[in-house]
Amino acid sequence: MFRGSFVAIATPMKNGQVDEESLRNLVEFQIENGTDGVVPCGTTGESATLTYEEHCRVIEIVIDQVKKRVPVVAGSGSNSTHESVFLTQHAQKAGADGALVITPYYNKPTQEGLYQHFKAVAESVKIPLLLYNVPGRTAVNVLPQTVIRLSKIDNIVGIKEASGSMDQAGEIIAGTDSSFALLSGEDSLTYPLYCIGAKGVISASTNVVAKDMGDMWDAFEKGDMETAKKLHYKLLPVFKSLFLETNPIPAKKALYLMGLIGDEIRLPLVPMTEEGTAKLRTALTAAGIKLVR
């Protein structure tokens, strides 16, 4: 299930509310362009500023729109274990195929605290879980030995690894069973991570370059390394432009320029600067992305 190109889908907003119509259209855009799975309510989905009601509703909308055509992995983590349990149990009840659970942010738990947190969430549901390690966002890093220990829990089946460390990713892959999936969480390292054993990617950039991201995985899986490598180098400038400012500011601006969503983001994030937008526009145009605004 957790293999291939997954999108960390953006949450469109309109007049301060979740824009359901645009969200459904984004899901269709992803499936039409070959995306292998949809991840609502991740970092790119602005989960940190969604209310509980909005969070649950976004997951329900995505599951309903996908209609089992690809897996839906619901973002369900929090800095509170009981909140993570609540959101993960909701994901299960809503019909998600799995859940993506971020490390608790701000609290800075010890490695034992991280282990006990993920263990408690896993024991509260039957659906498979992916750990989500992104130290740049959370101020805590799940070390390889902790990931290896967690991989022995039956329904913890993989990790979105966004530490930016190839060494760390390699230690995890080497120390876990072949059934455990490491997925790239660092867009510019996606192809290199494939080369050392990653089984896919959960990406912000896939919102914008869905077909190329899917094609890169498909080429790699078929053993067509030359095509996969060419797509990697084609996409590098896009990856860079989509992280010129805090994610998902550039991704949402790109989707706006593509005519797929409105130009709205929730505070404390603000729309992309004119200078950043100009650089983003240049990179997208060079990559062959059709812009309508």
Side-chain angles (χ1 to χ4, degrees):
M1 182 190 301
F2 302 111
R3 191 176 187 92
S5 178
F6 284 60
V7 61
I9 201 163
T11 303
M13 305 282 185
K14 186 175 182 180
N15 300 322
Q17 306 296 319
V18 173
D19 182 351
E20 179 173 336
E21 181 180 359
S22 293
L23 178 56
R24 289 181 181 276
N25 289 338
L26 286 185
V27 169
E28 289 305 311
F29 173 79
Q30 289 296 319
I31 293 175
E32 288 167 8
N33 282 277
T35 294
D36 296 305
V38 182
V39 183
C41 296
T43 304
T44 312
E46 295 177 83
S47 58
T49 51
L50 297 177
T51 66
Y52 280 141
E53 292 78 12
E54 288 173 329
H55 189 120
C56 293
R57 183 59 185 148
V58 166
I59 289 168
E60 290 164 2
I61 291 167
V62 169
I63 290 169
D64 179 66
Q65 190 64 34
V66 168
K67 292 180 171 62
K68 295 293 183 182
R69 289 174 288 175
V70 297
V72 175
V73 182
S76 64
S78 168
N79 65 329
S80 161
T81 302
H82 72 85
E83 290 176 9
S84 298
V85 167
F86 167 79
L87 292 171
T88 308
Q89 288 178 338
H90 168 266
Q92 177 174 270
K93 290 174 187 174
D97 299 287
L100 178 70
V101 185
I102 197 167
T103 54
Y105 41 87
Y106 188 79
N107 311 55
K108 298 182 73 173
T110 63
Q111 294 300 304
E112 181 61 26
L114 290 169
Y115 177 82
Q116 294 298 337
H117 169 80
F118 287 119
K119 180 173 181 284
V121 177
E123 289 176 344
S124 75
V125 293
K126 294 181 179 179
I127 57 174
L129 305 186
L130 293 174
L131 313 175
Y132 181 13
N133 186 39
V134 56
R137 289 273 188 171
T138 64
V140 65
N141 183 23
V142 191
L143 296 178
Q145 54 265 42
T146 304
V147 176
I148 293 164
R149 187 181 172 200
L150 285 163
S151 75
K152 301 182 189 309
I153 296 172
D154 286 346
N155 61 330
I156 295 180
V157 300
I159 183 169
K160 176 181 177 181
E161 173 52 38
S163 68
S165 169
M166 293 291 291
D167 287 350
Q168 178 156 319
E171 284 186 56
I172 292 168
I173 292 167
T176 53
D177 294 340
S178 60
S179 60
F180 188 82
L182 184 138
L183 304 177
S184 170
E186 194 78 39
D187 291 359
S188 62
L189 291 181
T190 296
Y191 175 72
L193 284 168
Y194 289 169
C195 293
I196 66 167
K199 296 179 180 177
V201 60
I202 298 175
S203 165
S205 300
T206 300
N207 281 282
V208 180
V209 286
K211 187 175 187 308
D212 281 341
M213 289 295 283
D215 287 349
M216 181 165 67
W217 168 255
D218 291 344
F220 181 85
E221 193 170 38
K222 291 173 185 174
D224 184 357
M225 305 295 284
E226 193 60 34
T227 297
K229 184 169 68 174
K230 283 180 180 177
L231 284 165
H232 166 72
Y233 283 112
K234 173 188 176 182
L235 292 172
L236 274 179
V238 177
F239 297 153
K240 184 175 180 180
S241 71
L242 288 171
F243 289 89
L244 284 168
E245 297 178 23
T246 304
N247 180 47
I249 292 171
K252 293 193 87 171
K253 178 62 74 171
L255 290 170
Y256 169 74
L257 296 175
M258 294 163 69
L260 294 174
I261 66 172
D263 193 19
E264 192 169 319
I265 198 161
R266 184 167 285 180
L267 285 170
L269 300 183
V270 294
M272 198 169 194
T273 62
E274 289 186 11
E275 180 183 3
T277 301
K279 292 178 180 178
L280 175 65
R281 188 186 293 275
T282 298
L284 295 176
T285 301
I289 304 299
K290 183 180 178 182
L291 306 181
V292 301
R293 294 186 173 110

